[in-house]
Amino acid sequence: MRMSIGLSVMTRYDTCRNVQEHEGVWMLAAQRRAHLLDLLARQGKIVAKDVAADLGISEDSVRRDLRDLAAEGLCQRVYGGALPVSPAVADYAARKTVTPAGKQKVAAAAAALVRPGSALILDGGTTALAVAHALPPDLDCTVITHSPTVAASLLEHPQAEVFLLGGRIFKHSAVACGAAAVEAAQNISADLCLLGVTGVHPDAGLTTGDAEEAAMKRTLAARAADTYILASSEKIGTASRFRVLPWEDISGLITDADPHHAVVEWLTARGVEVLAAG
């Protein structure tokens, strides 16, 4: 009987000790994740091997933490580390509520680039929709778009002629993508292309969250004499999974971000034209 009681006490002791050890490890992992998020906010990227060396832990531990953060939508994993994740990966309805004032500023600056009598390729998404609304009612132009929502918003425009490119609708951004849409786009040409992205980052470049949408954006940009990127401030310094275009393939970037933002200064220093919105 005494032996049974002794074993029972020892079992409870071991269980409590294991729980305490487990909770200690959990707290350490939570602290590491908080440290990683702080690095993202301060430095704009995480290099796994550097973090591992600084904290005296294995790179595998850092990569596991980054996987957990990525699964929660808190970072974008890339080779060797992670970058800040773009808030623009939310669904179309949710994105309408993200920095609407900033998008309107970007839209107004973008609309000012459209010349009378010109042909404009207008991308889909919430910022592009704001551009459609910002086109002056007396502007005589042709708007080519693969976005049904953008096309519909221009039905009441007195002067704009609208061409809608068809294909499979990617509901996340309310745009046509896929082979049929790419083929249709290859048979058009325009003076200007206004293109949306979800992320603008020095390392990742211009990115979006879907491979087919990225391919469609490249096709549209290739059909215009000039391509400007629409990027409201929340997209600056963030990244998504798929690259859209290299910096040398764009004419400039339109943003309402602070001109002294580190990414904006980086772009300006490398010769990218940055048009300040608002």
PDB file of all heavy atoms in Angstrom, residues 191-221:
ATOM      1  N   ASP A 191      -1.299  53.061 -74.381  1.00  0.00           N
ATOM      2  CA  ASP A 191      -0.288  54.063 -74.045  1.00  0.00           C
ATOM      3  C   ASP A 191       0.199  53.897 -72.608  1.00  0.00           C
ATOM      4  O   ASP A 191       1.371  54.132 -72.307  1.00  0.00           O
ATOM      5  CB  ASP A 191      -0.879  55.469 -74.209  1.00  0.00           C
ATOM      6  CG  ASP A 191      -1.392  55.707 -75.613  1.00  0.00           C
ATOM      7  OD1 ASP A 191      -0.563  55.845 -76.524  1.00  0.00           O
ATOM      8  OD2 ASP A 191      -2.628  55.729 -75.793  1.00  0.00           O
ATOM      9  N   LEU A 192      -0.708  53.513 -71.728  1.00  0.00           N
ATOM     10  CA  LEU A 192      -0.408  53.478 -70.300  1.00  0.00           C
ATOM     11  C   LEU A 192      -1.062  52.272 -69.656  1.00  0.00           C
ATOM     12  O   LEU A 192      -2.188  51.905 -69.988  1.00  0.00           O
ATOM     13  CB  LEU A 192      -0.949  54.762 -69.635  1.00  0.00           C
ATOM     14  CG  LEU A 192      -0.861  54.886 -68.116  1.00  0.00           C
ATOM     15  CD1 LEU A 192       0.594  54.976 -67.668  1.00  0.00           C
ATOM     16  CD2 LEU A 192      -1.637  56.113 -67.643  1.00  0.00           C
ATOM     17  N   CYS A 193      -0.341  51.648 -68.720  1.00  0.00           N
ATOM     18  CA  CYS A 193      -0.891  50.574 -67.901  1.00  0.00           C
ATOM     19  C   CYS A 193      -0.760  50.971 -66.433  1.00  0.00           C
ATOM     20  O   CYS A 193       0.327  51.353 -65.976  1.00  0.00           O
ATOM     21  CB  CYS A 193      -0.146  49.265 -68.148  1.00  0.00           C
ATOM     22  SG  CYS A 193      -0.687  47.882 -67.088  1.00  0.00           S
ATOM     23  N   LEU A 194      -1.859  50.914 -65.717  1.00  0.00           N
ATOM     24  CA  LEU A 194      -1.864  51.170 -64.277  1.00  0.00           C
ATOM     25  C   LEU A 194      -2.111  49.832 -63.581  1.00  0.00           C
ATOM     26  O   LEU A 194      -3.180  49.245 -63.708  1.00  0.00           O
ATOM     27  CB  LEU A 194      -2.954  52.178 -63.909  1.00  0.00           C
ATOM     28  CG  LEU A 194      -2.762  53.574 -64.505  1.00  0.00           C
ATOM     29  CD1 LEU A 194      -3.955  54.463 -64.169  1.00  0.00           C
ATOM     30  CD2 LEU A 194      -1.469  54.214 -64.005  1.00  0.00           C
ATOM     31  N   LEU A 195      -1.092  49.377 -62.865  1.00  0.00           N
ATOM     32  CA  LEU A 195      -1.060  48.001 -62.370  1.00  0.00           C
ATOM     33  C   LEU A 195      -1.019  47.978 -60.847  1.00  0.00           C
ATOM     34  O   LEU A 195      -0.221  48.684 -60.228  1.00  0.00           O
ATOM     35  CB  LEU A 195       0.181  47.304 -62.925  1.00  0.00           C
ATOM     36  CG  LEU A 195       0.177  45.792 -63.057  1.00  0.00           C
ATOM     37  CD1 LEU A 195      -0.845  45.355 -64.098  1.00  0.00           C
ATOM     38  CD2 LEU A 195       1.572  45.306 -63.469  1.00  0.00           C
ATOM     39  N   GLY A 196      -1.858  47.157 -60.251  1.00  0.00           N
ATOM     40  CA  GLY A 196      -1.838  46.992 -58.806  1.00  0.00           C
ATOM     41  C   GLY A 196      -0.971  45.815 -58.385  1.00  0.00           C
ATOM     42  O   GLY A 196      -0.816  44.845 -59.130  1.00  0.00           O
ATOM     43  N   VAL A 197      -0.384  45.912 -57.204  1.00  0.00           N
ATOM     44  CA  VAL A 197       0.360  44.806 -56.599  1.00  0.00           C
ATOM     45  C   VAL A 197      -0.051  44.741 -55.131  1.00  0.00           C
ATOM     46  O   VAL A 197      -0.658  45.669 -54.606  1.00  0.00           O
ATOM     47  CB  VAL A 197       1.892  44.984 -56.722  1.00  0.00           C
ATOM     48  CG1 VAL A 197       2.332  44.966 -58.174  1.00  0.00           C
ATOM     49  CG2 VAL A 197       2.343  46.290 -56.045  1.00  0.00           C
ATOM     50  N   THR A 198       0.291  43.642 -54.481  1.00  0.00           N
ATOM     51  CA  THR A 198      -0.011  43.549 -53.050  1.00  0.00           C
ATOM     52  C   THR A 198       1.204  43.859 -52.183  1.00  0.00           C
ATOM     53  O   THR A 198       1.050  44.138 -50.999  1.00  0.00           O
ATOM     54  CB  THR A 198      -0.558  42.158 -52.678  1.00  0.00           C
ATOM     55  OG1 THR A 198       0.413  41.169 -53.040  1.00  0.00           O
ATOM     56  CG2 THR A 198      -1.856  41.866 -53.407  1.00  0.00           C
ATOM     57  N   GLY A 199       2.402  43.798 -52.761  1.00  0.00           N
ATOM     58  CA  GLY A 199       3.598  44.065 -51.972  1.00  0.00           C
ATOM     59  C   GLY A 199       4.673  44.778 -52.769  1.00  0.00           C
ATOM     60  O   GLY A 199       4.851  44.521 -53.965  1.00  0.00           O
ATOM     61  N   VAL A 200       5.381  45.693 -52.089  1.00  0.00           N
ATOM     62  CA  VAL A 200       6.521  46.412 -52.675  1.00  0.00           C
ATOM     63  C   VAL A 200       7.655  46.320 -51.667  1.00  0.00           C
ATOM     64  O   VAL A 200       7.596  46.942 -50.597  1.00  0.00           O
ATOM     65  CB  VAL A 200       6.174  47.897 -52.948  1.00  0.00           C
ATOM     66  CG1 VAL A 200       7.394  48.633 -53.505  1.00  0.00           C
ATOM     67  CG2 VAL A 200       4.993  48.019 -53.896  1.00  0.00           C
ATOM     68  N   HIS A 201       8.692  45.546 -52.004  1.00  0.00           N
ATOM     69  CA  HIS A 201       9.781  45.305 -51.051  1.00  0.00           C
ATOM     70  C   HIS A 201      11.119  45.287 -51.793  1.00  0.00           C
ATOM     71  O   HIS A 201      11.204  44.739 -52.905  1.00  0.00           O
ATOM     72  CB  HIS A 201       9.565  43.973 -50.334  1.00  0.00           C
ATOM     73  CG  HIS A 201      10.433  43.782 -49.136  1.00  0.00           C
ATOM     74  ND1 HIS A 201      11.742  43.380 -49.232  1.00  0.00           N
ATOM     75  CD2 HIS A 201      10.185  43.949 -47.803  1.00  0.00           C
ATOM     76  CE1 HIS A 201      12.260  43.286 -48.029  1.00  0.00           C
ATOM     77  NE2 HIS A 201      11.341  43.626 -47.136  1.00  0.00           N
ATOM     78  N   PRO A 202      12.171  45.885 -51.210  1.00  0.00           N
ATOM     79  CA  PRO A 202      13.476  45.914 -51.887  1.00  0.00           C
ATOM     80  C   PRO A 202      14.008  44.542 -52.269  1.00  0.00           C
ATOM     81  O   PRO A 202      14.628  44.389 -53.323  1.00  0.00           O
ATOM     82  CB  PRO A 202      14.385  46.590 -50.848  1.00  0.00           C
ATOM     83  CG  PRO A 202      13.476  47.430 -50.037  1.00  0.00           C
ATOM     84  CD  PRO A 202      12.188  46.651 -49.953  1.00  0.00           C
ATOM     85  N   ASP A 203      13.777  43.536 -51.419  1.00  0.00           N
ATOM     86  CA  ASP A 203      14.291  42.191 -51.702  1.00  0.00           C
ATOM     87  C   ASP A 203      13.348  41.392 -52.594  1.00  0.00           C
ATOM     88  O   ASP A 203      13.775  40.773 -53.568  1.00  0.00           O
ATOM     89  CB  ASP A 203      14.524  41.425 -50.398  1.00  0.00           C
ATOM     90  CG  ASP A 203      15.634  42.039 -49.556  1.00  0.00           C
ATOM     91  OD1 ASP A 203      16.473  42.770 -50.130  1.00  0.00           O
ATOM     92  OD2 ASP A 203      15.667  41.805 -48.337  1.00  0.00           O
ATOM     93  N   ALA A 204      12.066  41.381 -52.262  1.00  0.00           N
ATOM     94  CA  ALA A 204      11.103  40.569 -53.015  1.00  0.00           C
ATOM     95  C   ALA A 204      10.648  41.241 -54.295  1.00  0.00           C
ATOM     96  O   ALA A 204      10.178  40.590 -55.219  1.00  0.00           O
ATOM     97  CB  ALA A 204       9.891  40.254 -52.137  1.00  0.00           C
ATOM     98  N   GLY A 205      10.751  42.559 -54.367  1.00  0.00           N
ATOM     99  CA  GLY A 205      10.298  43.286 -55.558  1.00  0.00           C
ATOM    100  C   GLY A 205       8.809  43.577 -55.506  1.00  0.00           C
ATOM    101  O   GLY A 205       8.235  43.786 -54.448  1.00  0.00           O
ATOM    102  N   LEU A 206       8.184  43.555 -56.674  1.00  0.00           N
ATOM    103  CA  LEU A 206       6.752  43.800 -56.820  1.00  0.00           C
ATOM    104  C   LEU A 206       6.051  42.445 -56.836  1.00  0.00           C
ATOM    105  O   LEU A 206       6.309  41.624 -57.715  1.00  0.00           O
ATOM    106  CB  LEU A 206       6.481  44.563 -58.115  1.00  0.00           C
ATOM    107  CG  LEU A 206       7.198  45.908 -58.220  1.00  0.00           C
ATOM    108  CD1 LEU A 206       7.196  46.409 -59.663  1.00  0.00           C
ATOM    109  CD2 LEU A 206       6.558  46.928 -57.300  1.00  0.00           C
ATOM    110  N   THR A 207       5.156  42.214 -55.880  1.00  0.00           N
ATOM    111  CA  THR A 207       4.606  40.869 -55.719  1.00  0.00           C
ATOM    112  C   THR A 207       3.088  40.874 -55.601  1.00  0.00           C
ATOM    113  O   THR A 207       2.462  41.898 -55.326  1.00  0.00           O
ATOM    114  CB  THR A 207       5.195  40.194 -54.462  1.00  0.00           C
ATOM    115  OG1 THR A 207       4.934  41.025 -53.308  1.00  0.00           O
ATOM    116  CG2 THR A 207       6.689  39.983 -54.606  1.00  0.00           C
ATOM    117  N   THR A 208       2.518  39.691 -55.804  1.00  0.00           N
ATOM    118  CA  THR A 208       1.097  39.457 -55.576  1.00  0.00           C
ATOM    119  C   THR A 208       0.915  38.032 -55.063  1.00  0.00           C
ATOM    120  O   THR A 208       1.865  37.238 -55.077  1.00  0.00           O
ATOM    121  CB  THR A 208       0.283  39.718 -56.859  1.00  0.00           C
ATOM    122  OG1 THR A 208      -1.104  39.816 -56.532  1.00  0.00           O
ATOM    123  CG2 THR A 208       0.484  38.616 -57.888  1.00  0.00           C
ATOM    124  N   GLY A 209      -0.300  37.692 -54.658  1.00  0.00           N
ATOM    125  CA  GLY A 209      -0.497  36.437 -53.942  1.00  0.00           C
ATOM    126  C   GLY A 209      -0.884  35.238 -54.776  1.00  0.00           C
ATOM    127  O   GLY A 209      -1.005  34.135 -54.243  1.00  0.00           O
ATOM    128  N   ASP A 210      -1.085  35.415 -56.108  1.00  0.00           N
ATOM    129  CA  ASP A 210      -1.528  34.303 -56.945  1.00  0.00           C
ATOM    130  C   ASP A 210      -0.672  34.238 -58.202  1.00  0.00           C
ATOM    131  O   ASP A 210      -0.407  35.266 -58.842  1.00  0.00           O
ATOM    132  CB  ASP A 210      -3.001  34.497 -57.328  1.00  0.00           C
ATOM    133  CG  ASP A 210      -3.534  33.372 -58.189  1.00  0.00           C
ATOM    134  OD1 ASP A 210      -3.867  32.310 -57.641  1.00  0.00           O
ATOM    135  OD2 ASP A 210      -3.594  33.560 -59.423  1.00  0.00           O
ATOM    136  N   ALA A 211      -0.258  33.030 -58.596  1.00  0.00           N
ATOM    137  CA  ALA A 211       0.650  32.866 -59.730  1.00  0.00           C
ATOM    138  C   ALA A 211       0.008  33.284 -61.054  1.00  0.00           C
ATOM    139  O   ALA A 211       0.631  33.958 -61.886  1.00  0.00           O
ATOM    140  CB  ALA A 211       1.127  31.413 -59.812  1.00  0.00           C
ATOM    141  N   GLU A 212      -1.253  32.881 -61.273  1.00  0.00           N
ATOM    142  CA  GLU A 212      -1.921  33.235 -62.526  1.00  0.00           C
ATOM    143  C   GLU A 212      -2.182  34.734 -62.610  1.00  0.00           C
ATOM    144  O   GLU A 212      -2.073  35.338 -63.684  1.00  0.00           O
ATOM    145  CB  GLU A 212      -3.228  32.452 -62.670  1.00  0.00           C
ATOM    146  CG  GLU A 212      -3.036  30.996 -63.038  1.00  0.00           C
ATOM    147  CD  GLU A 212      -4.330  30.341 -63.510  1.00  0.00           C
ATOM    148  OE1 GLU A 212      -5.366  31.030 -63.543  1.00  0.00           O
ATOM    149  OE2 GLU A 212      -4.285  29.148 -63.837  1.00  0.00           O
ATOM    150  N   GLU A 213      -2.514  35.329 -61.490  1.00  0.00           N
ATOM    151  CA  GLU A 213      -2.736  36.773 -61.489  1.00  0.00           C
ATOM    152  C   GLU A 213      -1.424  37.499 -61.781  1.00  0.00           C
ATOM    153  O   GLU A 213      -1.407  38.504 -62.513  1.00  0.00           O
ATOM    154  CB  GLU A 213      -3.316  37.233 -60.157  1.00  0.00           C
ATOM    155  CG  GLU A 213      -3.781  38.681 -60.194  1.00  0.00           C
ATOM    156  CD  GLU A 213      -4.398  39.148 -58.893  1.00  0.00           C
ATOM    157  OE1 GLU A 213      -4.205  38.485 -57.857  1.00  0.00           O
ATOM    158  OE2 GLU A 213      -5.077  40.186 -58.927  1.00  0.00           O
ATOM    159  N   ALA A 214      -0.322  37.018 -61.234  1.00  0.00           N
ATOM    160  CA  ALA A 214       0.979  37.624 -61.517  1.00  0.00           C
ATOM    161  C   ALA A 214       1.308  37.536 -63.006  1.00  0.00           C
ATOM    162  O   ALA A 214       1.795  38.495 -63.608  1.00  0.00           O
ATOM    163  CB  ALA A 214       2.065  36.940 -60.691  1.00  0.00           C
ATOM    164  N   ALA A 215       1.027  36.376 -63.611  1.00  0.00           N
ATOM    165  CA  ALA A 215       1.281  36.199 -65.043  1.00  0.00           C
ATOM    166  C   ALA A 215       0.419  37.144 -65.878  1.00  0.00           C
ATOM    167  O   ALA A 215       0.876  37.721 -66.873  1.00  0.00           O
ATOM    168  CB  ALA A 215       1.023  34.751 -65.445  1.00  0.00           C
ATOM    169  N   MET A 216      -0.835  37.336 -65.463  1.00  0.00           N
ATOM    170  CA  MET A 216      -1.726  38.243 -66.181  1.00  0.00           C
ATOM    171  C   MET A 216      -1.235  39.674 -66.081  1.00  0.00           C
ATOM    172  O   MET A 216      -1.264  40.431 -67.066  1.00  0.00           O
ATOM    173  CB  MET A 216      -3.142  38.119 -65.607  1.00  0.00           C
ATOM    174  CG  MET A 216      -4.189  38.905 -66.386  1.00  0.00           C
ATOM    175  SD  MET A 216      -4.392  38.248 -68.058  1.00  0.00           S
ATOM    176  CE  MET A 216      -5.494  39.482 -68.749  1.00  0.00           C
ATOM    177  N   LYS A 217      -0.755  40.064 -64.929  1.00  0.00           N
ATOM    178  CA  LYS A 217      -0.228  41.415 -64.755  1.00  0.00           C
ATOM    179  C   LYS A 217       0.979  41.644 -65.657  1.00  0.00           C
ATOM    180  O   LYS A 217       1.132  42.721 -66.257  1.00  0.00           O
ATOM    181  CB  LYS A 217       0.142  41.652 -63.280  1.00  0.00           C
ATOM    182  CG  LYS A 217      -1.059  41.737 -62.340  1.00  0.00           C
ATOM    183  CD  LYS A 217      -0.597  41.880 -60.897  1.00  0.00           C
ATOM    184  CE  LYS A 217      -1.761  41.855 -59.915  1.00  0.00           C
ATOM    185  NZ  LYS A 217      -2.632  43.024 -60.017  1.00  0.00           N
ATOM    186  N   ARG A 218       1.856  40.642 -65.769  1.00  0.00           N
ATOM    187  CA  ARG A 218       3.022  40.785 -66.652  1.00  0.00           C
ATOM    188  C   ARG A 218       2.580  40.950 -68.097  1.00  0.00           C
ATOM    189  O   ARG A 218       3.165  41.749 -68.860  1.00  0.00           O
ATOM    190  CB  ARG A 218       3.946  39.569 -66.504  1.00  0.00           C
ATOM    191  CG  ARG A 218       4.752  39.561 -65.226  1.00  0.00           C
ATOM    192  CD  ARG A 218       5.842  38.500 -65.256  1.00  0.00           C
ATOM    193  NE  ARG A 218       5.287  37.148 -65.230  1.00  0.00           N
ATOM    194  CZ  ARG A 218       5.002  36.489 -64.112  1.00  0.00           C
ATOM    195  NH1 ARG A 218       5.189  37.062 -62.938  1.00  0.00           N
ATOM    196  NH2 ARG A 218       4.527  35.259 -64.158  1.00  0.00           N
ATOM    197  N   THR A 219       1.569  40.197 -68.493  1.00  0.00           N
ATOM    198  CA  THR A 219       1.066  40.291 -69.864  1.00  0.00           C
ATOM    199  C   THR A 219       0.496  41.674 -70.135  1.00  0.00           C
ATOM    200  O   THR A 219       0.757  42.277 -71.185  1.00  0.00           O
ATOM    201  CB  THR A 219      -0.014  39.221 -70.113  1.00  0.00           C
ATOM    202  OG1 THR A 219       0.543  37.928 -69.867  1.00  0.00           O
ATOM    203  CG2 THR A 219      -0.521  39.287 -71.545  1.00  0.00           C
ATOM    204  N   LEU A 220      -0.272  42.196 -69.213  1.00  0.00           N
ATOM    205  CA  LEU A 220      -0.850  43.529 -69.386  1.00  0.00           C
ATOM    206  C   LEU A 220       0.232  44.595 -69.474  1.00  0.00           C
ATOM    207  O   LEU A 220       0.179  45.495 -70.325  1.00  0.00           O
ATOM    208  CB  LEU A 220      -1.802  43.839 -68.222  1.00  0.00           C
ATOM    209  CG  LEU A 220      -3.072  42.984 -68.135  1.00  0.00           C
ATOM    210  CD1 LEU A 220      -3.824  43.298 -66.840  1.00  0.00           C
ATOM    211  CD2 LEU A 220      -3.971  43.217 -69.340  1.00  0.00           C
ATOM    212  N   ALA A 221       1.217  44.513 -68.585  1.00  0.00           N
ATOM    213  CA  ALA A 221       2.293  45.505 -68.589  1.00  0.00           C
ATOM    214  C   ALA A 221       3.070  45.495 -69.899  1.00  0.00           C
ATOM    215  O   ALA A 221       3.506  46.543 -70.390  1.00  0.00           O
ATOM    216  CB  ALA A 221       3.236  45.248 -67.415  1.00  0.00           C
TER     217      ALA A 221
END
